Amino acid sequence: MSPADFTRPASLQGAVDLGARKQALEAQARREAAAAKASSEGAPPPGPAAVIDVTDATFATEVIERSMRVPVILDLWATWCEPCKQLSPILEKLAAEAAGRWVLAKVDVDASPQISGALQVQSIPTVLAVFQGQAVTGFQGALPEAQVRQWLDQLMTALAQYLPPEGEQQPGAPAADAPQADPDLLAAEKAVDEGDLDAAAAAYERLLARSPADQDAKIGLAGIGLIRRTEGLDARDVIDRATADPKDVEAQTQAADIEMLSGMPEAAFDRLIALVRRTFGDDRDRARRHLLGLFDALPPGDPVVVKSRRDLANALF
């Protein structure tokens, strides 16, 4: 398997509890406070570790929160896995060489079954690259060092526009002027945690009224729409209906929603692009608009969104 042949793994938006970003923001605030205290006392803040061990309990803070500033490479392994023993030392060596440009997070799948279950890990070793809360690419199996280096080079090139120039700010270290989380954003995520979707939607809408370009609010509101649209649906029945009739717009859009919530955005997007290709008039426009709405559930720079926008344009024109 070459690095270019990966299939996008489960999206962390679908795999991780929607309250995870709230936990991440709170953890970020605590770390910033600790760094500020250390600075005021004349002590340098601790630098980021190149390799960290992650558990079910620390995933939200060590992976989700950390990935808001620096790419995190997940190494999912187990003590009994022989290929893991070949791959893990390679990843650890490259993490040390990277000097903080990315962080290696090691997950023992036996000790942390919630993580591997949520990410729908089918075999190990599995490697996932996480950035800004999203799994953006990955591969399975023990690749030789040269191919791992190639995969990492491709990843860092793709993310370069979102990262500070090398040598500027220490990756993973809190910025001195890091903005505080918006109160409406925290209110929305607290409401999601409590299962109050109406209150969460209202908070996201207040934030968008003030800041129409706020990506967190757009993603959050799109996620709530997904949850609402799929309430009461029988996933197996929906998929069966969509398979039986490729031109059934309702079944296809419902199936795409279910795939999004299952952490399979690429499958959802491909399904709707295929629907756009095979329909006309109002049906085609309905499929197009539904797809555009699903794009809002991921960051606009997500590689799958970028590719699918191109594919949609080709399908339309």
Side-chain angles (χ1 to χ4, degrees):
M1 173 180 176
S2 73
D5 291 335
F6 67 83
T7 298
R8 179 190 172 89
S11 164
L12 297 192
Q13 290 288 345
V16 179
D17 188 297
L18 288 176
R21 179 159 171 79
K22 175 177 177 290
Q23 297 173 28
L25 290 167
E26 292 171 347
Q28 179 179 339
R30 290 195 297 270
R31 292 185 182 188
E32 289 171 356
K37 180 180 179 182
S39 178
S40 67
E41 294 173 352
V51 182
I52 56 176
D53 290 312
V54 175
T55 65
D56 290 336
T58 62
F59 185 83
T61 53
E62 295 289 12
V63 176
I64 300 295
E65 184 272 333
R66 192 184 295 266
S67 77
M68 298 301 166
R69 293 186 299 268
V70 62
V72 176
I73 306 300
L74 284 180
D75 175 17
L76 294 118
W77 65 283
T79 55
W80 48 264
C81 170
E82 291 301 322
C84 298
K85 296 175 185 177
Q86 301 172 32
L87 179 63
S88 289
I90 293 173
L91 292 169
E92 291 168 12
K93 171 188 175 182
L94 298 180
E97 290 181 6
R101 292 294 290 168
W102 55 269
V103 174
L104 178 64
K106 297 176 64 64
V107 178
D108 182 337
V109 297
D110 291 334
S112 301
Q114 291 181 21
I115 295 175
S116 55
L119 295 175
Q120 301 175 15
V121 174
Q122 300 298 315
S123 65
I124 55 174
T126 289
V127 174
L128 304 178
V130 183
F131 186 61
Q132 295 185 348
Q134 292 289 315
V136 294
T137 182
F139 64 85
Q140 291 181 333
L143 299 181
E145 182 176 329
Q147 284 186 275
V148 178
R149 283 185 182 276
Q150 180 187 0
W151 177 78
L152 285 166
D153 288 344
Q154 291 172 352
L155 171 70
M156 297 306 290
T157 298
L159 297 181
Q161 60 182 311
Y162 306 107
L163 299 172
E166 190 166 358
E168 193 168 283
Q169 180 184 317
Q170 185 181 17
D177 58 350
Q180 296 297 311
D182 188 282
D184 278 326
L185 180 62
L186 293 180
E189 289 161 347
K190 181 174 184 293
V192 169
D193 254 357
E194 296 170 350
D196 190 345
L197 297 185
D198 290 340
Y204 283 133
E205 287 166 354
R206 288 195 302 271
L207 177 51
L208 284 173
R210 289 184 284 105
S211 304
D214 189 281
Q215 290 301 323
D216 285 324
K218 287 183 177 180
I219 291 171
L221 203 56
I224 289 174
L226 273 169
I227 294 171
R228 283 174 166 166
R229 291 197 302 271
T230 53
E231 283 179 334
L233 291 180
D234 182 314
R236 186 67 268 164
D237 174 67
V238 170
I239 298 297
D240 286 346
R241 286 191 290 111
T243 302
D245 187 354
K247 291 186 178 181
D248 184 335
V249 176
E250 180 177 8
Q252 297 298 334
T253 54
Q254 288 178 348
D257 284 347
I258 288 170
E259 287 166 337
M260 282 292 291
L261 279 183
S262 299
M264 299 185 293
E266 190 167 27
F269 297 164
D270 287 348
R271 176 185 295 278
L272 293 182
I273 290 168
L275 183 62
V276 167
R277 293 184 188 278
R278 69 172 68 100
T279 52
F280 303 91
D282 291 342
D283 284 348
R284 168 181 269 204
D285 190 55
R286 181 179 170 188
R288 179 190 64 83
R289 285 186 284 107
H290 198 92
L291 177 58
L292 293 177
L294 292 188
F295 286 160
D296 287 340
L298 294 177
D302 185 293
V304 172
V305 174
V306 173
K307 175 183 179 298
S308 296
R309 285 190 181 278
R310 288 198 302 266
D311 292 343
L312 173 61
N314 289 335
L316 289 170
F317 306 105

